[in-house]
Amino acid sequence: MAPILHSIPVLPRSPAGLRPPSRAKAQQSYDVCIVGSGAGGGMAAYALTQAGARVCVLEAGGPWDNATDSAMLKWPYDSPRRGASTPDRPFGEFDACIGGWRIEGEPYTTAPGQDFRWWRARMLGGRTNHWGRISLRFGPDDFRRGDLDGLSPNWPIRYEDVKPYYDRVDRLIGIFGSAEGLPNEPDGIFLPPPKPRCHELWVKQACDRMSITCIPARLSILTRPLNGRAACHYCGQCGRGCATHSNFSSTNVLFPPALATGLLETRLNAMVREVTVGPDGLCTGVAYIDKETGEDRQVRARVVVLAASACETARLLLNSRSSLFPDGLANSSGAVGRHLNDTTGAWVGGWFPQLMDGVAHNEDGVGGMHLYMPWWLDNRKLDFPRGYHVEFGGGRDLPGYGVLGGIQNYPAGGGWGQQLKDDYRRYYGCTLGFSGRGEMVSNENCWCQIDPDVVDRWGIPVLRFHWQWSDHEYQQVKHMQETFRSLIHELGGTPWDAMPGPERGYGISRGGEIIHELGTTRMGDDRRTSVLNGWCQAHDVRNLFVADGGPFVTQSDKNPTWTILALSWRTSERIAELMKQGAL
Ligand SMILES: Cc1cc2nc3c(=O)[nH]c(=O)nc-3n(C[C@H](O)[C@H](O)[C@H](O)COP(=O)(O)OP(=O)(O)OC[C@H]3O[C@@H](n4cnc5c(N)ncnc54)[C@H](O)[C@@H]3O)c2cc1C
Ligand code: SF4
């Protein structure tokens, strides 16, 4: 079916760029204070300023502007490091995202014997500066798992409540894909998808033989100009930040029009310590540390929106203790920090002799996959609940550092000199990897709390994580392993390693490793079991809202950011409405 493209007015670019106004001019009181500038915070800043609110965004990281800061089109040999990773750029020195699994001076801990990894960004735009831009809507079933399998509650809202905001996000930001009419994979308002690359077509043929659904990917990258932004020129380097603003990041798409309203002030290097509360139990603003001077500062606002990412928002609430809220702000249910979710993951790679000695050609494409496999099976015939989708990669895009690492393991590979160079040419492009991304069932052993003994460099207590997968997830990942290995064999390839057994959890990812943490400030109709209502408004504090992944009730196998954006827009509109009514 032909893709549909609705046009909306061209977004104004900010004459001031993405730098914050000087502090001397900064106002001290705002309609809304937003903590965090990633997907959730950026969208709240955009939607609230469009609605006429005076907004202050506080961001713990520094500035970033893809037009000037991106390393797009650099060759590996442009750097003596050849692009290898650095401590604050674990995905390589050309990566656009400053942050990582560990941040100096900002530790977190895990309960004894448990394992959890927490990936944080520290910069304007947060993790949207790197993310894979896989932009999937949750489907109708994803909002009502309580009705379907009873293993989790339903959301207090339905797909129909979020659909208008998904539509708006599609139109504003731009997404490519194809209308497929699949039951729980709603179509969006798509730009045309890029053509599949050679290896992708080849995998699709195997999928067709095995009755696995394989369709064009859905990524927030422009294949046509949209709203004043240029179309992608297929350099394949989205992770480095797009200097032509052709892919989505909060910095590329949401901050310029928000700043252009003149209603937004952005304070960078502002590490928020807690939400401040008045004697009436309502928020008065936030207290933060100016990281450049070390000074304690405050921002006053009528409404506070927390969008610091799911776990960091839970941390802020738990650290906002007072006589009115001794267990942390908005935590009368005790649910803050509970119901922590992450996507399940497993990866299987292999090599394929048929792809050896390929004809050299450019297949860079967009900076991500052109095809993927949405969940295609019926759980009633399986021994695990919920589903997974498959992301896969291979081909002959720009080689980076470490390319074909382990070449000595290929038949007759390795050696040195001319033979090694020839082997690189022969084997380049003959590997493929399949990654499963699945829905976990949230359980009481996955949560976070304040560590009573550890503080960060500013004396703010840090999070301690607890994590245990359950059999649901192990069975699901076992199925991923078996499927990917069958696919590799169907393609005539050889998996890199033997399938891991139950003693290795079938190769399941570590908690947090897929970087989709959600659920720590769950929404619900019952204030005894949930933190927020269906508008992401705190049950206990009516002028406090959450706009990151914290409100999610269940995970879905879909990557979460398109839903974070849609919910943030919906929440922001609600805030604007309530303010107009004088209810906030
Ligand atoms: C490598 C990678 C690939 C990914 N791929 C995908 C994908 O393909 N599809 C998808 O849907 N999702 C993907 N994700 C996940 C996606 O990036 C997140 O879901 C999304 O960015 C979360 O948005 P957020 O606004 O909640 O948090 P963030 O984007 O993390 O933004 C939070 C911001 O808050 C700031 N902050 C935190 N604490 C404080 C504080 N105390 N005071 C002030 N500021 C604070 C942080 O510095 C940060 O800038 C990926 C993530 C990574 C890292
Ligand atoms: S692949 Fe396209 S969207 Fe990505 S960085 Fe290159 S031009 Fe920008």
Side-chain angles (χ1 to χ4, degrees):
M1 194 185 288
I4 313 160
L5 171 59
H6 295 256
S7 63
I8 65 165
V10 169
L11 297 178
R13 316 273 338 152
S14 160
L18 298 176
R19 310 283 153 175
S22 78
R23 186 154 287 117
K25 290 189 210 147
Q27 301 173 64
Q28 293 307 310
S29 185
Y30 300 84
D31 294 323
V32 185
C33 168
I34 300 170
V35 181
S37 65
M43 178 54 87
Y46 169 79
L48 284 161
T49 51
Q50 298 296 312
R54 286 173 307 117
V55 173
C56 181
V57 169
L58 296 165
E59 165 54 53
W64 184 266
D65 184 344
N66 281 309
T68 49
D69 299 332
S70 154
M72 194 168 85
L73 303 184
K74 274 203 172 163
W75 292 98
Y77 51 73
D78 286 338
S79 161
R81 303 178 56 80
R82 301 288 189 266
S85 59
T86 63
D88 64 359
R89 306 229 179 153
F91 294 116
E93 67 171 316
F94 297 139
D95 195 79
C97 200
I98 299 161
W101 300 109
R102 296 273 160 205
I103 299 181
E104 205 188 331
E106 297 190 47
Y108 60 88
T109 63
T110 46
Q114 305 209 1
D115 192 19
F116 185 83
R117 304 191 81 201
W118 190 20
W119 207 101
R120 290 165 290 171
R122 286 286 176 270
M123 63 192 298
L124 187 69
R127 287 177 288 179
T128 66
N129 288 295
H130 174 103
W131 72 308
R133 298 180 175 84
I134 301 164
S135 304
L136 304 174
R137 296 181 180 208
F138 280 28
D141 292 354
D142 297 319
F143 291 91
R144 52 183 204 105
R145 289 292 165 196
D147 292 344
L148 295 175
D149 64 21
L151 295 170
S152 328
N154 287 332
W155 290 54
I157 55 178
R158 289 287 191 260
Y159 175 71
E160 291 68 34
D161 297 309
V162 192
K163 180 184 181 304
Y165 297 91
Y166 281 131
D167 288 352
R168 286 196 213 173
V169 171
D170 288 359
R171 288 187 183 113
L172 173 71
I173 292 176
I175 173 175
F176 69 72
S178 56
E180 301 284 341
L182 298 171
N184 195 39
E185 315 286 337
D187 296 325
I189 298 162
F190 292 130
L191 301 164
K195 285 183 188 162
R197 302 153 168 124
C198 169
H199 69 277
E200 290 170 326
L201 276 175
W202 194 53
V203 169
K204 179 169 168 46
Q205 286 165 4
C207 286
D208 290 348
R209 293 195 293 276
M210 292 173 69
S211 302
I212 296 173
T213 309
C214 182
I215 61 171
R218 297 172 171 185
L219 268 58
S220 43
I221 296 173
L222 302 184
T223 53
R224 296 283 183 276
L226 183 72
N227 302 328
R229 291 161 51 218
C232 172
H233 53 263
Y234 303 118
C235 72
Q237 295 175 352
C238 287
R240 299 180 178 195
C242 185
T244 56
H245 294 194
S246 309
N247 64 20
F248 172 70
S249 69
S250 197
T251 33
N252 280 353
V253 183
L254 301 175
F255 272 87
L259 284 164
T261 62
L263 294 169
L264 174 65
E265 188 201 332
T266 310
R267 296 193 192 180
L268 300 177
N269 292 310
M271 185 72 195
V272 176
R273 173 198 291 283
E274 64 178 302
V275 180
T276 52
V277 176
D280 55 1
L282 293 177
C283 304
T284 54
V286 301
Y288 71 95
I289 294 127
D290 181 329
K291 286 166 61 179
E292 284 170 285
T293 63
E295 285 171 89
D296 268 304
R297 291 180 170 271
Q298 294 216 346
V299 166
R300 296 183 65 80
R302 278 165 71 190
V303 173
V304 172
V305 176
L306 297 181
S309 78
C311 296
E312 197 80 50
T313 286
R315 178 187 179 206
L316 276 168
L317 291 175
L318 293 170
N319 276 332
S320 302
R321 273 189 290 240
S322 61
S323 53
L324 287 174
F325 300 103
D327 300 322
L329 191 59
N331 194 24
S332 64
S333 62
V336 174
R338 295 274 164 184
H339 314 299
L340 175 59
N341 279 252
D342 186 32
T343 297
T344 59
W347 180 86
V348 184
W351 80 277
F352 300 83
Q354 304 92 316
L355 296 176
M356 277 170 61
D357 297 310
V359 179
H361 63 285
N362 180 347
E363 54 176 21
D364 282 345
V366 302
M369 62 200 180
H370 290 190
L371 299 181
Y372 89 117
M373 290 84 116
W375 178 234
W376 69 102
L377 292 172
D378 180 352
N379 289 100
R380 285 170 300 190
K381 299 177 188 155
L382 297 165
D383 59 358
F384 59 89
R386 319 288 169 91
Y388 62 88
H389 70 262
V390 189
E391 302 169 8
F392 68 100
R396 305 173 63 90
D397 54 359
L398 178 72
Y401 75 96
V403 63
L404 285 176
I407 194 166
Q408 69 280 7
N409 299 320
Y410 292 69
W416 54 281
Q418 193 56 49
Q419 186 210 322
L420 182 60
K421 287 182 182 175
D422 290 345
D423 282 347
Y424 271 111
R425 291 194 178 93
R426 296 184 68 213
Y427 289 116
Y428 185 56
C430 78
T431 59
L432 289 173
F434 298 90
S435 300
R437 296 286 179 259
E439 175 171 3
M440 75 176 279
V441 177
S442 104
N443 73 63
E444 60 182 15
N445 299 316
C446 297
W447 57 293
C448 56
Q449 61 176 162
I450 296 298
D451 189 310
D453 303 318
V454 183
V455 295
D456 67 14
R457 68 163 63 155
W458 302 283
I460 309 172
V462 308
L463 282 181
R464 175 162 65 187
F465 289 96
H466 303 252
W467 193 266
Q468 274 176 40
W469 296 116
S470 77
D471 281 347
H472 295 316
E473 288 79 43
Y474 288 123
Q475 288 305 108
Q476 187 192 70
V477 163
K478 177 170 177 270
H479 191 273
M480 292 180 193
Q481 289 276 355
E482 289 164 351
T483 305
F484 301 163
R485 286 164 197 279
S486 305
L487 251 171
I488 290 172
H489 289 305
E490 175 68 26
L491 287 161
T494 308
W496 285 122
D497 52 11
M499 175 164 152
E503 72 295 345
R504 287 168 53 203
Y506 301 107
I508 196 168
S509 50
R510 295 159 71 184
E513 200 168 43
I514 307 300
I515 320 180
H516 291 164
E517 337 77 61
L518 303 170
T520 47
T521 53
R522 189 188 250 192
M523 61 159 88
D525 287 329
D526 186 347
R527 59 186 305 144
R528 291 167 306 176
T529 56
S530 59
V531 181
L532 310 168
N533 66 21
W535 294 102
C536 302
Q537 179 181 30
H539 287 301
D540 299 344
V541 189
R542 72 168 188 278
N543 65 344
L544 175 66
F545 294 78
V546 177
D548 49 32
F552 284 46
V553 179
T554 48
Q555 178 93 22
S556 157
D557 71 272
K558 285 95 176 176
N559 316 49
T561 308
W562 223 237
T563 304
I564 293 176
L565 288 161
L567 288 178
S568 173
W569 201 332
R570 183 172 177 269
T571 297
S572 303
E573 221 173 62
R574 176 71 172 171
I575 294 171
E577 250 172 53
L578 291 174
M579 287 178 106
K580 274 186 200 135
Q581 291 165 14
L584 285 176

